[in-house]
Amino acid sequence: MTTSIRPRRSALYMPGSNARALEKAKSLDVDCLILDLEDAVAPDMKADARAQIVAAVQGGGYGDREVVIRINGLDTAWGEDDLKAAIDARPDAILIPKVNSPADLERAAHKLALGNAPQTVRLWAMMETPLAMLNAAAIAACGRDPEVRLSCFVMGTNDLAKETRAKLNPGRAVMMPWLMTCVAAARTGGIDILDGVYNNFSDLDGFAAECAQGVEMGMDGKTLIHPKQIEACHAAFSPSEEEVAWARKINEIFALPENASKGAIQVDGKMVERLHADMGLRVIAIADAIAARSNA
Ligand code: COA
Ligand code: MG
């Protein structure tokens, strides 16, 4: 379960085999980095990428950026070695691909415990298989189990399209039931959820539209594939000044003595309930946490 608010507006993937990208990441204004050993790395390069990622994470220099290592699945030829190496590297989180059920996370968590990984090393889960869509609530419940230490869902829309044969088209109409099911599941588990990637990184307008859709859906942030996508992503997922001002205003008004016993009040011609004030507190906390970051 996430205990303190941490902005996860942007999570940039980079191939673990790409030394230049691993270095460049230290200067990018991004909330999270996903150093990948899985889909972005060819089989011949897996061992080199693993060594390179361990050296990069141990070498540090990533500041406040949350550093996440995506390993290969534990049923593949590389998974066990990846997990051992990732545990030694002590990243902020280890991202498990193609999670189908809680057992997949429990298996990884067991290895973390055996490897004496501190609780600061969290697990993240790729939600990208048909079975994961059907088991989303059970998987998210791992967020309530301190032994599993699950903190975040990451939507893997490319794999989901491949495995289901559903089309990943602009607007993502057919994906919507799965995406929203995972949002609901994430909330029940008290964890964050990051939206899938937008493959056409040259189309910044299409990307901005998909970010706006993710915000509307309640996603906490979006996974990215190229540095070009960071700015629009942050513009979409950061609370606007107006939102923060409104959040402060309604909380101040509810705090007035004359409103102490009221559940619903009128502000600027709109009904405002205490639940809106609570939502506002989250907006303020996110805005404060963004302001406190030193990466920008
Ligand atoms: N992370 C960090 N830096 C990146 C980056 C990334 N994901 N993608 C590109 N860059 C850097 C390049 O190294 C280059 O830096 P330089 O100018 O200092 O040399 C700069 O950004 C411009 O890159 P560009 O030439 O536009 O792209 P490319 O052709 O080198 O790479 C991709 C295109 C798609 C191969 C690359 O963006 C990539 O590997 N993305 C991530 C893929 C991935 O991890 N997929 C798995 C999950 S979906
Ligand atoms: Mg994948």
Side-chain angles (χ1 to χ4, degrees):
M1 196 177 146
T2 37
T3 45
S4 62
I5 290 189
R6 181 156 198 172
R8 291 187 174 126
R9 297 165 297 173
S10 55
L12 176 64
Y13 282 104
M14 59 201 63
S17 49
N18 185 341
R20 197 173 169 84
L22 295 179
E23 191 54 35
K24 195 176 175 81
K26 295 174 186 171
S27 64
L28 295 172
D29 174 20
V30 67
D31 290 338
C32 316
L33 301 166
I34 303 178
L35 316 184
D36 192 22
L37 289 169
E38 200 218 12
D39 290 339
V41 179
D44 284 358
M45 295 299 290
K46 296 282 189 193
D48 284 353
R50 186 188 300 134
Q52 198 155 268
I53 282 182
V54 169
V57 175
Q58 287 178 342
Y62 292 101
D64 289 344
R65 297 167 193 81
E66 200 166 6
V67 176
V68 181
I69 300 179
R70 184 166 78 169
I71 64 170
N72 288 282
L74 291 176
D75 292 330
T76 67
W78 313 284
E80 294 280 347
D81 288 341
D82 287 352
L83 185 54
K84 275 198 205 93
I87 291 170
D88 286 345
R90 298 270 189 274
D92 293 302
I94 298 173
L95 175 54
I96 310 296
K98 302 183 176 72
V99 171
N100 279 314
S101 70
D104 291 331
L105 293 176
E106 286 157 8
R107 184 174 166 195
H110 183 63
K111 306 259 175 196
L112 261 69
L114 288 179
N116 293 317
Q119 276 291 330
T120 52
V121 181
R122 313 297 300 174
L123 283 184
W124 287 17
M126 289 302 304
M127 296 295 281
E128 55 185 349
T129 69
L131 196 49
M133 299 305 106
L134 302 176
N135 286 337
I139 299 168
C142 292
R144 303 279 179 201
D145 180 348
E147 281 175 25
V148 186
R149 49 175 106 179
L150 177 68
S151 291
C152 196
F153 272 176
V154 180
M155 296 311 303
T157 37
N158 281 323
D159 270 285
L160 199 51
K162 174 180 174 233
E163 297 300 325
T164 58
R165 301 180 201 148
K167 300 282 182 277
L168 188 51
N169 284 333
R172 301 190 292 180
V174 299
M175 291 265 163
M176 209 43 74
W178 296 322
L179 295 169
M180 287 312 303
T181 295
C182 289
V183 170
R187 300 303 163 231
T188 63
I191 61 173
D192 280 348
I193 176 167
L194 307 184
D195 203 353
V197 300
Y198 190 79
N199 296 325
N200 185 356
F201 62 81
S202 307
D203 174 11
L204 285 178
D205 290 339
F207 174 70
E210 202 172 276
C211 286
Q213 186 189 43
V215 171
E216 197 175 344
M217 288 158 64
M219 296 284 176
D220 295 292
K222 192 166 177 68
T223 45
L224 312 179
I225 47 172
H226 195 283
K228 268 192 202 173
Q229 297 180 316
I230 298 170
E231 198 179 330
C233 179
H234 284 189
F237 284 96
S238 307
S240 67
E241 278 179 31
E242 296 76 48
E243 276 175 287
V244 177
W246 173 254
R248 290 196 201 283
K249 180 171 179 172
I250 61 176
N251 272 284
E252 280 160 17
I253 295 176
F254 261 121
L256 295 173
E258 63 261 37
N259 291 326
S261 58
K262 291 186 186 156
I265 54 173
Q266 184 262 113
V267 181
D268 298 348
K270 298 186 202 96
M271 179 194 69
V272 179
E273 295 180 289
R274 286 194 181 269
L275 67 91
H276 296 113
D278 291 344
M279 289 161 70
L281 289 179
R282 190 181 155 79
V283 169
I284 294 166
I286 288 268
D288 287 349
I290 291 168
R293 286 161 61 260
S294 59
N295 302 332

